[in-house]
Amino acid sequence: QRALDAGAALERFRANVEAQGGDARVCDEPSRLVDAGLLETRVDAPRGGFVVRMDAAEIGRAVVSIGGGRARMEDAIDPAVGFLSEVKIGGEVQPGDTLGLLYSRNQAQAAESAARIRAAYHVGDEPPAVVHKLIKEVITA
């Protein structure tokens, strides 16, 4: 948190962007990354309960189908499209709550992909017995 507050994290990110040949101006103008042509589609919970499982592979395939990855090696990747999950496993939802936001190029893609992602979320009446924690390593330099 101190690194974020002091600006050191941003400077480290800027150095990483530059080292990879990117445009470091995005650090000062993040809106440069926003593609105004994207559609934002809410993916809503079909019912109330607890998210007990997500089929991450199916969510990935749904994102690939809108250009967010490759089905074949020669496929182009659209780095602007994708899915932002807002509910984790174990999270409680009400019918119609937002599970996440889908970013796509056209309405037909959005409708099909959103349906696939919605079906990939499994909502049950009880919370899962075990919610695995993300394992992470803190790297200091």
Side-chain angles (χ1 to χ4, degrees):
Q1 187 60 50
R2 286 190 307 266
L4 288 172
D5 293 341
L10 179 60
E11 290 311 310
R12 178 62 59 101
F13 179 70
R14 182 187 315 277
N16 285 331
V17 170
E18 289 172 345
Q20 295 178 44
D23 184 351
R25 292 179 294 176
V26 300
C27 296
D28 302 312
E29 301 171 54
S31 62
R32 295 171 69 88
L33 296 175
V34 176
D35 187 331
L38 287 178
L39 296 174
E40 181 181 273
T41 304
R42 286 175 28 138
V43 177
D44 297 331
R47 60 171 281 219
F50 296 88
V51 176
V52 294
R53 168 169 81 79
M54 288 185 258
D55 184 344
E58 177 58 14
I59 293 170
R61 286 188 291 269
V63 171
V64 166
S65 76
I66 61 171
R70 290 188 180 110
R72 293 178 310 276
M73 195 63 177
E74 62 273 10
D75 291 346
I77 296 175
D78 183 346
V81 302
F83 177 68
L84 175 64
S85 177
E86 294 191 353
V87 180
K88 296 178 181 173
I89 293 175
E92 185 173 9
V93 294
Q94 301 301 317
D97 280 357
T98 301
L99 296 171
L101 299 171
L102 177 68
Y103 297 93
S104 62
R105 295 281 175 197
N106 67 59
Q107 195 59 47
Q109 286 181 334
E112 179 184 340
S113 190
R116 290 175 68 180
I117 291 170
R118 184 178 300 106
Y121 275 80
H122 299 272
V123 179
D125 295 327
E126 301 293 326
V130 176
V131 177
H132 298 284
K133 301 288 184 194
L134 176 66
I135 299 172
K136 64 180 179 179
E137 178 181 346
V138 177
I139 302 171
T140 58

